[in-house]
Amino acid sequence: MYRSINFHRNIALEKLDANLKKDFFSKRVIFTRHPTTHCDLFDLQNDNINPIILIREPRSWILSRYIYVMNNSYYSKIDTNKDNVNTKIIENEFSRLNFFLKYWLKYFEKKKKFMIFDYDDFLKNPNLTMFKVLEFFKYENINKEIIEKSIERNSKEFIQKFYGHLNMSRFGNPDEKTIIKKRIEKYVNEYLVKNDVGKNFKKLISLREIN
């Protein structure tokens, strides 16, 4: 979404009082996939930038990514192996993940204020996680009811109830996930043994305790 935003041409923003505009830019929160998808709306070297990153255990992450990209225009043209596994996806996506992990490990060597969340912890207690995020950014007058309702409306349970099914890319088919997980498991484990993705994940997740 950030690619389509031009703050200087936003008519509503231009109507704001100068002090309000300054306040907006100083407190804005930007959601990105940086650095795997570059974002130029901020300067990470600025002391006023306080990042929060959400990371996911590598095996869980690769399963999600594998299912998401396996039928896209690029990977669908690549032949699978004898076990019907597209090893190119595993190789490329783990390389992408490791780039992400190494980037933030290096960045946090010099950064004093940051926050790291494990995706699994977020799933277990989304309310607590969201309140920690808002407190980290020093939001005031937080409406607990609004936050809880927002989390509820974005939950799998609510989507299931609202649409009557979960047949959408956001969630994927649970049975299909189980089949693919078993199919790629051996190759994922082999990759993790040969490379330092798992080690870098543990290093990064351990920084949340230090910080």
Side-chain angles (χ1 to χ4, degrees), residues 23-119:
D23 188 57
F24 169 79
F25 279 108
S26 67
K27 294 181 179 179
R28 60 181 166 159
V29 176
I30 302 170
F31 296 85
T32 82
R33 295 182 182 274
H34 189 81
T36 54
T37 302
H38 179 63
C39 179
D40 58 4
L41 287 178
F42 54 82
D43 177 8
L44 277 172
Q45 306 310 315
N46 192 312
D47 290 337
N48 292 326
I49 299 294
N50 302 310
I52 292 179
I53 65 167
L54 181 67
I55 58 177
R56 190 171 182 176
E57 193 279 323
R59 288 180 180 83
S60 174
W61 184 86
I62 194 65
L63 174 62
S64 176
R65 288 296 301 167
Y66 190 99
I67 293 172
Y68 182 75
V69 305
M70 66 181 186
N71 293 318
N72 71 18
S73 59
Y74 175 72
Y75 286 116
S76 60
K77 296 176 183 178
I78 299 175
D79 293 332
T80 57
N81 64 14
K82 60 182 178 61
D83 295 320
N84 196 25
V85 173
N86 191 328
T87 55
K88 189 67 175 176
I89 296 177
I90 296 173
E91 178 185 343
N92 288 354
E93 292 300 323
F94 265 142
S95 176
R96 188 167 174 261
L97 174 61
N98 213 17
F99 171 69
F100 176 90
L101 297 173
K102 288 180 178 179
Y103 175 91
W104 288 109
L105 277 170
K106 184 176 181 181
Y107 176 78
F108 287 147
E109 288 178 358
K110 299 175 287 185
K111 195 70 179 176
K112 293 180 179 179
K113 188 176 181 182
F114 59 87
M115 188 172 281
I116 299 172
F117 285 113
D118 187 331
Y119 179 77

Side-chain angles (χ1 to χ4, degrees), residues 183-206:
R183 189 189 303 158
I184 71 174
E185 191 171 32
K186 180 181 76 170
Y187 296 92
V188 169
N189 289 335
E190 287 176 355
Y191 192 95
L192 288 173
V193 169
K194 296 176 183 177
N195 296 271
D196 57 358
V197 178
K199 183 171 64 177
N200 288 330
F201 169 79
K202 289 178 180 178
K203 282 183 181 178
L204 193 55
I205 203 70
S206 68

